[in-house]
Amino acid sequence: MDDRAEPGLAGELSGVDGSSATDVWAVGSREVVQAGGAINSGTLVERWTGGSWSVVPSPAPPNALGARLAGVKTFSATNAWAVGSYSASTQPGNRTLIQRWNGTAWTVVPSPNPDATTNLLTDIDGASANDIWAIGNMGFDGYGGTTTGLVLRWNGTAWSRVAVPGSESDATFSVPALHDVVAIAANDVWIVGRAFHRTLFTTMPIALHWNGSTWQRSFLTGAPNDGQGFRSVAALSPTRVYAFGSTIARWSGSAWVPEAGTLPGLLADATATGPSTIWAAGNRYDLNAASPRTLAMRTTNG
């Protein structure tokens, strides 16, 4: 993809993670001018080294028309991963995009694309450098949306697709969408999102949990539901897991329990920063403003 950054063009960051106070990565997308003057999207990667942020070159596949990154996971100063998607000049739709930092440069790592048209990655996390999960969605519903969740796993050598019950339509839920993942341990992984409940006839927050051998699906009831589902998940410990969206819920060990009612907006991402502290960020609605405002919330009583 032959492109160059131009002053005044738009950019946004979608994911952030760090291995220390002086090694933090943020990823997203930016507008770029391609050969011939066309404007398209390109990957955006920035790094904090303790004094300032700087843009770090980030490649896209050679046949990419447009690309963006959505999530990042940092294990050390010489090992970080970023995930997203790109559109290709040689194939229809979108393809998964996974990049790896080796301490010197970012490189594209081959990744599966199970669907013929749409494959998108939204987040990445791992309990160790040789056990990493990347999640997203695939399939085209004909209206600009996806039809099925997508789960990939890195075993230290290659990425492969994992069949996850609950990430595909079944007799209870249809059109699931996966948004966030947190890996507490190799046998303790949470994926959250939303899906349409066929009997209740509404879109509900869902969670998928890996215990090392099987997957269990759960969903939130008894809370205001606007169809947004769970957008993010964070864990203080195996027994203190929280999910966020337009509401906040805590996993009790057997069910999701609402921690807060309707929020003034949507919490799109969350992270645990201490033994009892979780931060969540997103946007809030403001009837007096023409566009949404930022929203950040914190608990120190986790």
Side-chain angles (χ1 to χ4, degrees):
M1 190 167 78
D2 179 18
D3 55 58
R4 61 188 186 277
E6 293 288 349
L9 295 183
E12 64 177 10
L13 297 172
S14 303
V16 63
D17 192 47
S19 61
S20 71
T22 57
D23 182 36
V24 182
W25 292 96
V27 302
S29 63
R30 59 188 174 93
E31 289 183 332
V32 294
V33 180
Q34 294 183 313
I39 296 178
N40 213 325
S41 64
T43 58
L44 175 61
V45 176
E46 299 189 14
R47 190 181 193 184
W48 172 263
T49 56
S52 62
W53 287 94
S54 60
V55 175
V56 179
S58 168
N63 60 345
L65 294 176
R68 63 181 60 246
L69 296 171
V72 60
K73 174 63 179 179
T74 306
F75 291 99
S76 70
T78 59
N79 189 3
W81 293 83
V83 300
S85 61
Y86 74 98
S87 57
S89 59
T90 56
Q91 297 165 306
N94 295 291
R95 318 294 290 172
T96 59
L97 175 60
I98 298 182
Q99 299 183 358
R100 186 177 189 178
W101 172 256
N102 63 7
T104 303
W106 287 93
T107 57
V108 175
V109 178
S111 54
N113 288 279
D115 189 77
T117 59
T118 302
N119 303 267
L120 310 168
L121 294 176
T122 58
D123 196 33
I124 182 171
D125 197 29
S128 70
N130 292 323
D131 185 19
I132 309 173
W133 299 84
I135 61 102
N137 303 288
M138 64 181 188
F140 182 59
D141 65 1
Y143 302 96
T146 56
T147 61
T148 302
L150 174 61
V151 181
L152 307 180
R153 191 176 190 180
W154 172 261
N155 63 4
T157 303
W159 287 95
S160 60
R161 184 190 177 193
V162 178
V164 177
S167 67
E168 301 182 10
S169 297
D170 56 26
T172 305
F173 285 100
S174 65
V175 197
L178 307 181
H179 294 299
D180 199 16
V181 57
V182 61
I184 304 171
N187 61 351
D188 193 358
V189 179
W190 287 92
I191 299 172
V192 299
R194 68 183 190 274
F196 183 79
H197 197 292
R198 297 182 187 272
T199 303
L200 300 178
F201 208 71
T202 185
T203 298
M204 303 186 67
I206 66 167
L208 309 173
H209 181 243
W210 170 250
N211 64 9
S213 58
T214 61
W215 287 91
Q216 176 190 25
R217 179 178 60 195
S218 54
F219 55 93
L220 176 65
T221 60
N225 180 24
D226 60 0
Q228 294 287 351
F230 287 144
R231 292 306 180 99
S232 56
V233 60
L236 294 170
S237 71
T239 58
R240 293 186 294 172
V241 181
Y242 294 83
F244 304 82
S246 55
T247 189
I248 301 174
R250 175 181 54 84
W251 178 249
S252 69
S254 59
W256 288 99
V257 179
E259 286 274 304
T262 302
L263 300 176
L266 182 70
L267 295 173
D269 201 10
T271 185
T273 60
S276 60
T277 301
I278 291 179
W279 282 91
N283 61 76
R284 60 182 174 87
Y285 316 118
D286 189 341
L287 298 178
N288 298 317
S291 59
R293 303 300 191 188
T294 58
L295 173 65
M297 300 183 69
R298 179 184 68 167
T299 177
T300 58
N301 298 313

